[in-house]
Amino acid sequence: MSVVDDTTSALLDATRAAILDFGVRRTTLTDVARRAGVSRMTVYRRYPDVQALLRELMTREFGDLLARVDAKAEG
């Protein structure tokens, strides 16, 4: 499992919230930046577009799901 810094975590959380509110097609990097409390340039330095941010979000969410399933299987 990779280590994620606070800014990346905030961006991914903001992306998830924006997608739940607006849907994938209407989510913009500007919306994500505003929700995360960072500048648009901070987002653009890390992710070239919403699709890249969405891929990272899905990787995180899927990883969390697998970790929960693994913990449940061990318990």
Side-chain angles (χ1 to χ4, degrees):
M1 192 158 131
S2 65
V3 176
V4 176
D5 65 22
D6 291 340
T7 301
T8 300
S9 184
L11 290 171
L12 296 177
D13 291 343
T15 301
R16 186 177 190 280
I19 288 170
L20 290 174
D21 286 348
F22 305 127
V24 173
R25 288 181 176 218
R26 292 186 56 213
T27 296
T28 66
L29 291 181
T30 301
D31 292 329
V32 171
R34 188 179 320 113
R35 286 174 183 258
V38 300
S39 71
R40 286 185 308 147
M41 285 311 300
T42 298
V43 180
Y44 281 106
R45 281 187 196 110
R46 292 168 184 249
Y47 303 99
D49 53 32
V50 174
Q51 288 76 25
L53 195 48
L54 180 60
R55 281 191 299 273
E56 179 125 357
L57 174 64
M58 295 307 296
T59 299
R60 181 185 79 170
E61 295 293 312
F62 190 65
D64 289 348
L65 175 64
L66 289 177
R68 288 194 312 266
V69 168
D70 188 46
K72 196 119 171 131
E74 289 176 1

